[in-house]
Amino acid sequence: MVKVRSIRTRLDTVKTIDDALEQINKAQKILVITGAGISTSLGIPDFRSSKGFYSQVQHLGLSDPQEVFDLEIFLTDPSLFYSIAHMILPPEKIFSPLHSFIQVIQSKGKLLRNYTQNIDNLESYAGISPEKLIQCHGSFATATCVTCKYHVKGEEIFEDIKNREIPYCPKCAKMRKKLMKNDEDSFVPDSYGVLKPDITFFGEPLPETFHDLIRRDLSECDLLISVGTSLKVAPVADIVDKIPEHVPQILINKDPIDHCNFDVSLLGYCDDVASYLASRLGKSWDIPHKDFDSIRGSA
Ligand code: CNA
């Protein structure tokens, strides 16, 4: 079910679901912001929902669950991250109806850019082209050795992640062994030769493409759609405030987002909202989604 809410409308003309449909029809350069909520139907927990990842790592007794993604902590003790990384490991080659909805926006030539905070790389399976996609917090698609910067494909460390083991760099393996064995007196960090997925930890900069493109995209976009994100992590969360005043903003989310000023809030499971919008937008908006069977229930 889609609940429509329009509390602090910025634009007098954009208040209802029909207004939202009209804007989607009219828009030529849609900027889509996405977050963990677009992948929960595939079984990947989000962070902040009641059954989300942060509530699932309470047993670790951290003062702040975000410490799991703290670069300094990772470099001191990578075992913390690798004890829980299996919980957010992306499923392979599946994507949600919402991912398909973004792909349809793209196929109609209306997608200016999808700024995703997700690290699951499922947009690529849905066919969203690399030039239309900014993975603001990186992704599991690749991993890098923290010592020698050797790159590997993400899937090369998936087995270790599933087994809750720390993946090591093949290039640094010999030296790590030697240092551990011979230099018992000298300090060898636990993270020596550890492969880290190329996801952006707290303490790391966002990818350069984000900074390269966001300013231009903000000035060009004619509609903003924000889906499945609590908009609590800057600088992606700040995009909403920086959108020019005349540009309509639509929210699609399970929960209301009260700290932002959307024109129309379409509240519900985003796959349902996307299917509803697609059905109202007409046949050519059909979501070409073939993986409904693999959907494992929403957060
Ligand atoms: P969040 O703070 O956990 O917020 C998720 C939002 O999505 C909440 O407001 C929920 O109400 C909403 N939501 C959950 N399920 C649905 C659904 N089925 N339909 C509609 N809305 C839903 O997560 P954010 O993305 O805002 O936070 C940014 C973090 C989350 C980034 O750094 C990501 O890397 C990180 N993250 C990514 C993934 C992933 O890649 N799939 C998973 C978990 C966390």
Side-chain angles (χ1 to χ4, degrees):
M1 191 173 99
V2 182
K3 269 200 239 161
V4 183
R5 183 170 139 139
S6 184
I7 31 169
R8 287 173 291 161
T9 302
R10 298 156 61 250
L11 301 170
D12 285 343
T13 47
V14 187
K15 290 179 180 170
T16 64
I17 201 158
D18 287 340
D19 297 335
L21 288 161
E22 191 189 328
Q23 292 302 326
I24 295 170
N25 254 328
K26 210 164 78 177
Q28 292 304 316
K29 293 184 176 185
I30 305 180
L31 194 155
V32 182
I33 301 177
T34 45
I38 73 163
S39 297
T40 53
S41 64
L42 302 170
I44 309 174
D46 65 7
F47 274 176
R48 296 176 180 83
S49 287
S50 57
K51 291 183 201 153
F53 177 76
Y54 284 163
S55 73
Q56 291 181 37
V57 297
Q58 267 175 1
H59 66 280
L60 295 174
L62 304 168
S63 54
D64 178 349
Q66 297 189 126
E67 286 176 10
V68 169
F69 299 99
D70 185 297
L71 183 64
E72 220 172 289
I73 293 176
F74 182 88
L75 294 176
T76 312
D77 178 11
S79 69
L80 173 68
F81 172 76
Y82 281 115
S83 69
I84 53 76
H86 64 278
M87 291 159 69
I88 46 165
L89 195 63
E92 278 173 53
K93 299 191 172 53
I94 58 170
F95 49 90
S96 68
L98 194 283
H99 287 101
S100 296
F101 186 63
I102 302 172
Q103 196 278 330
V104 175
I105 294 177
Q106 172 184 270
S107 71
K108 292 191 162 286
K110 288 169 173 278
L111 183 64
L112 176 61
R113 209 85 58 196
N114 176 195
Y115 285 82
T116 183
Q117 296 164 94
N118 288 353
I119 51 182
D120 56 26
N121 198 34
L122 300 185
E123 298 84 0
S124 59
Y125 299 131
I128 297 166
S129 42
E131 65 274 16
K132 293 287 176 191
L133 180 69
I134 306 293
Q135 293 179 314
C136 306
H137 298 164
S139 88
F140 272 102
T142 53
T144 302
C145 171
V146 298
T147 306
C148 76
K149 307 297 169 206
Y150 178 63
H151 285 287
V152 298
K153 280 193 175 162
E155 58 209 36
E156 289 180 33
I157 66 169
F158 285 3
E159 215 40 49
D160 282 329
I161 293 180
K162 281 180 201 157
N163 295 330
R164 302 175 205 196
E165 284 169 8
I166 299 176
Y168 289 103
C169 169
K171 300 241 176 216
C172 290
K174 257 192 190 163
M175 183 54 89
R176 182 180 163 85
K177 222 172 170 181
K178 197 169 152 198
L179 287 171
M180 293 294 200
K181 203 169 161 191
N182 298 338
D183 290 353
E184 277 165 9
D185 295 337
S186 66
F187 174 71
V188 184
D190 282 351
S191 61
Y192 187 96
V194 167
L195 290 164
K196 173 186 166 294
D198 292 332
I199 58 180
T200 310
F201 276 39
F202 293 105
E204 287 187 293
L206 266 66
E208 273 171 27
T209 45
F210 175 88
H211 300 289
D212 290 347
L213 289 170
I214 188 62
R215 195 186 292 259
R216 200 181 70 203
D217 287 351
L218 281 168
S219 67
E220 283 188 13
C221 73
D222 55 10
L223 177 65
L224 172 111
I225 305 179
S226 177
V227 197
T229 166
S230 62
L231 291 169
K232 291 216 170 118
V233 182
V236 176
D238 300 337
I239 295 176
V240 176
D241 289 336
K242 290 183 180 153
I243 291 282
E245 277 189 10
H246 65 276
V247 176
Q249 301 191 9
I250 298 169
L251 172 76
I252 300 175
N253 210 51
K254 184 167 64 101
D255 301 305
I257 305 290
D258 288 333
H259 63 281
C260 296
N261 208 2
F262 288 98
D263 295 298
V264 185
S265 294
L266 304 174
L267 302 181
Y269 290 118
C270 57
D271 292 343
D272 296 346
V273 177
S275 302
Y276 176 78
L277 291 175
S279 72
R280 292 278 316 271
L281 284 160
K283 189 88 193 106
S284 67
W285 280 82
D286 269 1
I287 297 178
H289 195 81
K290 300 196 172 63
D291 273 324
F292 285 100
D293 288 348
S294 61
I295 295 172
R296 297 201 287 262
S298 284

